[in-house]
Amino acid sequence: MAYSSCSSSLVRILLTSFIGSTFVVLASASNFYQDVDITWGGDGRAKILNNGGLLTLSLDKTSGSGFQSKREYLFGKIDMQLKLVAGNSAGTVTAYYLSSQGPTHDEIDFEFLGNLSGDPYILHTNVYSQGKGNREQQFYLWFDPTADFHTYSILWNPRRIIFSVDGTPIREYKNPESLGVPYPKSQPMRIYSSLWNADDWATRGGLVKADWSKAPFTASYRNFNEHACIWSSGKSSCNSNTPSNNAWLNQELDATSQERLKWVQKNYMIYNYCTDLKRFPQGFPPECAINKSS
Ligand SMILES: *[C@@H]1O[C@H](CO)[C@@H](O)[C@H](O)[C@H]1NC(C)=O
């Protein structure tokens, strides 16, 4: 009896680790050597490690560092696992975003504002269309983002943008074109990420400065995953006969996800431009009408 239950749990363990390793193989199909270019921060501040499976950015008093994706996208679902600067990260900002180029660019932003040890990071989000942003929502997280890797995702399709953390939606931005507000849908974007010093504003509005005796500050990245329409030589890979595995192109929040979104917005949202009366005494921007926090 004891023997057989032992062996069946052994089988289960073997099976689980087999399934587990299959997933690891799929997930680690991403390779930072193939997927990104290091664009900022010489002298080894940005490093690709583990045969392309891990990327680290660092910041010291002289410089920060950053990378960008080799590919451009026109719509996509992009996941990345990040482990943020641990300990006293006050004054540091880790930015992770999609952006097109030029003065009327579009942009979809995650920015992580560091803090003193034990004090909460702020996750800052924004959406730019045709060069205009000012659409901030900010959140605390329900876990310590420096203790382990967590998945931060941007779903960008023609109808909506959904920001998610570990699969939980934290913000939905619906296409507001019917209200006369432009929406990012015609300029291809790249992924950008950087770690930089913003101690003039980031932590408690700039009151807390970076402690350079703790430098270098380091953030880590892994398991980059894209389901996207790749933009290349003026053409989208999704133009002809978009395959059925592009479900993300029409994805919307189901009832469960809407409940999760409500939970985050009720308990963890600390700023929403759409409710900032001081900033918009003459009335909120038009898109707020369809992007009310539920
Ligand atoms: C840092 O901690 C303070 C105190 O808890 C908090 O008010 C602030 O929102 C936190 N985050 C940032 C980025 O300032």
Side-chain angles (χ1 to χ4, degrees):
M1 182 64 194
Y3 178 79
S4 82
S5 81
C6 168
S7 74
S8 81
S9 72
L10 182 64
V11 169
R12 217 173 299 129
I13 290 165
L14 286 174
L15 198 59
T16 315
S17 71
F18 173 71
I19 293 169
S21 64
T22 309
F23 271 106
V24 169
V25 170
L26 286 175
S28 67
S30 84
N31 183 320
F32 286 114
Y33 284 118
Q34 287 161 19
D35 297 333
V36 308
D37 289 314
I38 286 166
T39 46
W40 179 44
D43 298 331
R45 285 189 184 85
K47 286 197 187 85
I48 297 179
L49 304 159
N50 298 359
N51 293 319
L54 179 71
L55 187 155
T56 59
L57 293 183
S58 70
L59 161 71
D60 55 44
K61 207 168 179 182
T62 312
S63 177
S65 53
F67 66 88
Q68 67 182 48
S69 63
K70 291 190 196 274
R71 290 180 287 282
E72 288 186 291
Y73 312 96
L74 191 58
F75 304 121
K77 182 177 184 305
I78 310 283
D79 308 315
M80 183 81 83
Q81 293 196 323
L82 273 77
K83 188 172 164 185
L84 300 174
V85 175
N88 181 355
S89 59
T92 71
V93 171
T94 307
Y96 166 59
Y97 57 104
L98 282 164
S99 181
S100 65
Q101 287 176 320
T104 58
H105 75 292
D106 299 329
E107 191 174 312
I108 304 170
D109 289 336
F110 276 121
E111 278 186 328
F112 302 88
L113 318 186
N115 216 333
L116 294 168
S117 293
D119 280 347
Y121 264 71
I122 289 177
L123 171 48
H124 173 98
T125 64
N126 204 352
V127 175
Y128 285 69
S129 55
Q130 300 287 318
K132 183 185 170 296
N134 301 324
R135 302 191 175 104
E136 302 87 357
Q137 283 189 1
Q138 295 186 331
F139 306 84
Y140 288 144
L141 293 162
W142 50 94
F143 52 84
D144 173 1
T146 72
D148 209 341
F149 285 93
H150 291 270
T151 306
Y152 302 90
S153 311
I154 295 172
L155 170 77
W156 169 41
N157 71 29
R159 310 270 305 278
R160 50 184 46 81
I161 292 162
I162 299 170
F163 297 83
S164 304
V165 175
D166 290 333
T168 294
I170 61 164
R171 175 174 188 180
E172 180 179 30
Y173 183 83
K174 294 184 188 136
N175 181 330
E177 284 177 306
S178 63
L179 304 168
V181 179
Y183 179 77
K185 64 161 196 203
S186 50
Q187 307 189 72
M189 304 210 245
R190 252 182 239 286
I191 298 164
Y192 294 87
S193 187
S194 54
L195 173 57
W196 43 289
N197 170 22
D199 69 359
D200 52 337
W201 61 272
T203 307
R204 304 185 67 183
L207 284 176
V208 188
K209 302 296 176 193
D211 176 0
W212 296 111
S213 75
K214 302 289 187 315
F217 303 104
T218 303
S220 308
Y221 299 74
R222 70 179 192 194
N223 289 351
F224 167 61
N225 193 358
E226 63 184 25
H227 299 276
C229 302
I230 311 290
W231 185 263
S232 159
S233 318
K235 271 212 210 102
S236 167
S237 62
C238 292
N239 271 346
S240 50
N241 295 329
T242 296
S244 57
N245 63 356
N246 280 352
W248 59 268
L249 257 174
N250 296 305
Q251 194 173 324
E252 49 189 306
L253 294 175
D254 61 17
T256 311
S257 304
Q258 282 183 23
E259 284 305 309
R260 301 288 292 162
L261 176 67
K262 266 190 215 167
W263 172 77
V264 174
Q265 298 228 330
K266 174 160 179 273
N267 296 293
Y268 295 96
M269 187 160 69
I270 55 169
Y271 179 79
N272 181 2
Y273 78 113
C274 283
T275 57
D276 189 345
L277 270 169
K278 265 202 221 118
R279 188 171 166 195
F280 300 107
Q282 324 281 29
F284 295 117
E287 72 275 9
C288 290
I290 54 166
N291 287 306
K292 284 240 183 312
S293 69
S294 2

